């Protein structure tokens, strides 16, 4: 935590209690007093860019003990052996709840995507890596008004592809309905610019093409 790039920080931990075989962590309850304007999106993205560039993937593994979080395991595990067989059954798509949620191209689009994913994953593995928060949804960041960006929930922190944190940062408030879908283009442009600023501040030479690829 003490090595994070400013203005990012973690909540202050006051006590770790291991009594009775249960680990209880007492930490700050951090107020969030700043609305999610484009300026705030940019600040958060800049902090994430600086985080990604401060350590390379190998350095993160050696210095911080962070491992890779290989999403190949998800695709070639649960998705391949549970989700895809389930969705190969016509009865799945005949369910009224499913029909009400998707358009008539959705099944075909998913099949095309499933065919493309192995190649996409192979390309992802070749991209530059650094430190990723791993769950960079806006709900996991607080701005208490003291100039800091407080990052919560580091359970998925890992050495991953630089740019991948932008995905959660973009979609998080749309998943919950807190943002309007018409705002996507402006937010996307803002967080990309902010992320590039954070990378540049740490001397990174990762290309914008590689960032876009990891983000996608």
């Amino acid at each position: 935590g003490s090595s994070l790039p400013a203005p990012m920080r973690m909540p202050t931990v006051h006590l770790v209690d291991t009594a009775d075989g249960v680990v209880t962590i007492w930490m700050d309850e951090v107020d969030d007093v700043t609305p999610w304007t484009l300026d705030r999106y940019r600040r958060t993205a800049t902090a994430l860019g600086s985080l990604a560039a401060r350590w390379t993937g190998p350095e993160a593994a050696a210095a911080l003990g962070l491992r890779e979080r290989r999403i190949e395991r998800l695709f070639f595990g649960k998705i391949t052996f549970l989700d895809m067989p389930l969705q190969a059954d016509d009865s799945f798509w005949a369910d009224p709840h499913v029909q009400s949620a998707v358009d008539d191209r959705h099944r075909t689009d998913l099949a095309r995507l499933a065919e493309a994913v192995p190649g996409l994953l192979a390309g992802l593995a070749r991209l530059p890596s650094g430190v990723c928060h791993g769950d960079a949804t806006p709900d996991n960041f607080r701005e208490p008004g003291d100039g800091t960006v407080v990052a919560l929930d580091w359970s998925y922190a890992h050495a991953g592809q630089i740019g991948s944190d932008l995905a959660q940062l973009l979609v998080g408030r749309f998943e919950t309905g807190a943002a309007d879908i018409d705002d996507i283009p402006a937010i996307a442009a803002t967080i990309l610019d902010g992320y590039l600023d954070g990378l540049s501040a740490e001397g990174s030479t990762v290309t914008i093409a590689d960032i876009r690829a990891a983000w996608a």
Side-chain angles (χ1 to χ4, degrees):
S2 61
S3 299
L4 292 177
M8 181 180 283
R9 70 174 177 88
M10 296 180 181
T12 301
V13 174
H14 299 288
L15 177 69
V16 179
D17 183 357
T18 58
D20 301 321
V22 176
V23 179
T24 305
I25 304 174
W26 297 83
M27 67 178 72
D28 284 345
E29 180 177 353
V30 183
D31 290 331
D32 192 33
V33 301
T34 310
W36 277 98
T37 61
L38 289 179
D39 285 343
R40 180 172 181 183
Y41 270 107
R42 187 184 187 100
R43 287 193 297 272
T44 305
T46 301
L48 287 168
S50 295
L51 174 69
R54 177 150 291 197
W55 300 271
T56 66
E59 288 170 347
L64 308 174
L66 290 181
R67 301 180 180 180
E68 295 181 356
R69 184 185 176 205
R70 300 184 65 85
I71 61 174
E72 291 94 331
R73 295 177 180 174
L74 175 61
F75 180 77
F76 293 113
K78 176 182 179 293
I79 293 176
T80 296
F81 293 103
L82 178 62
D83 298 335
M84 290 170 61
L86 177 69
Q87 295 179 15
D89 190 330
D90 290 342
S91 64
F92 175 85
W93 298 100
D95 185 290
H97 294 92
V98 175
Q99 289 185 341
S100 68
V102 302
D103 61 39
D104 56 5
R105 301 184 306 275
H106 194 80
R107 183 177 185 179
T108 301
D109 288 344
L110 278 181
R112 290 174 54 221
L113 179 59
E115 290 181 3
V117 163
L120 294 173
L121 290 173
L124 184 66
R126 294 190 291 267
L127 296 175
S129 61
V131 175
C132 298
H133 179 278
D135 192 11
T137 180
D139 283 347
N140 281 336
F141 296 94
R142 300 283 187 272
E143 284 199 1
D146 59 1
T148 63
V149 175
V150 184
L152 312 177
D153 194 357
W154 291 82
S155 56
Y156 289 130
H158 64 287
Q161 281 69 38
I162 294 177
S164 57
D165 270 339
L166 291 175
Q168 284 276 23
L169 183 60
L170 176 63
V171 305
R173 297 181 71 244
F174 297 97
E175 289 182 328
T176 63
D180 191 290
I181 198 167
D182 292 337
D183 297 332
I184 284 180
I187 294 173
T190 297
I191 63 176
L192 178 59
D193 286 346
Y195 197 82
L196 289 168
D197 286 347
L199 291 172
S200 178
E202 294 290 329
S204 173
T205 58
V206 177
T207 67
I208 190 171
D210 283 344
I211 295 166
R212 287 183 180 277
W215 181 6

